[in-house]
Amino acid sequence: MATDDLAPLLAQVEALLRRHDCHDEAGQARFAQELWSRDPLAGRAELNGDAWWHGRHGIAAVDLAIVGGFTRAAREDAQRLRELLIVVRDHLDAHGLDNEEAALQVRQFRKWAASHM
C-alpha cells in the first residue's frame, strides 16, 4: 500500500532506529524526512538511494531484533521497521523509481512477514 505523505512514516523509522542506538541510520532517516518536507521529489530520490537499500550499511540491512538482543520488543521493532520500509518501497515504485536491490530486500521482508518472522 503506497502512501502520499511519508513524513510521519519516516519519523517512525527514525524513532525505531534511535531506540536501538542506530544513530547513523536514524540520521539518514531524519535527513530524508527533512528533505521530503522541503522537496518531495528530492526526498524520493534520497529514499531510493544507497543509504536506504544497498549493502550492509543500508537502513534496510538493519535488523533491530539482532541489535536489540532478540527481546520481544526488539523483534516487534524489527517487524515494524520492515513494514515501514515496505510502505516506502511501495511509494517509490508507485512513482516509477526502480531499484533492483530494494526490490530484492522488500521481497525478503514480505516473505518474513508471511512467516511471522
Side-chain angles (χ1 to χ4, degrees):
M1 156 180 40
T3 184
D4 288 330
D5 184 10
L6 295 180
L9 183 142
L10 296 173
Q12 289 180 52
V13 169
E14 179 190 4
L16 287 169
L17 292 166
R18 285 205 193 282
R19 185 177 310 149
H20 294 280
D21 297 323
C22 298
H23 298 293
D24 291 343
E25 294 86 353
Q28 281 298 133
R30 176 63 154 192
F31 174 73
Q33 181 183 2
E34 290 171 357
L35 187 58
W36 172 268
S37 69
R38 291 190 312 268
D39 182 354
L41 291 176
R44 282 186 195 116
E46 174 64 25
L47 291 168
N48 199 42
D50 290 353
W52 282 79
W53 305 103
H54 291 275
R56 64 185 181 100
H57 298 293
I59 290 173
V62 173
D63 190 331
L64 297 179
I66 293 172
V67 172
F70 294 102
T71 64
R72 179 184 191 104
R75 289 190 314 269
E76 289 171 355
D77 285 350
Q79 288 174 338
R80 181 65 183 143
L81 179 60
R82 289 189 297 262
E83 290 168 357
L84 293 168
L85 290 172
I86 289 169
V87 175
V88 168
R89 191 69 244 155
D90 287 348
H91 175 89
L92 298 174
D93 289 341
H95 287 86
L97 294 167
D98 295 327
N99 185 318
E100 191 173 318
E101 179 71 20
L104 290 170
Q105 295 267 4
V106 168
R107 276 197 296 277
Q108 186 61 49
F109 293 164
R110 290 183 196 281
K111 288 179 188 177
W112 288 341
S115 66
H116 306 290
M117 288 184 67

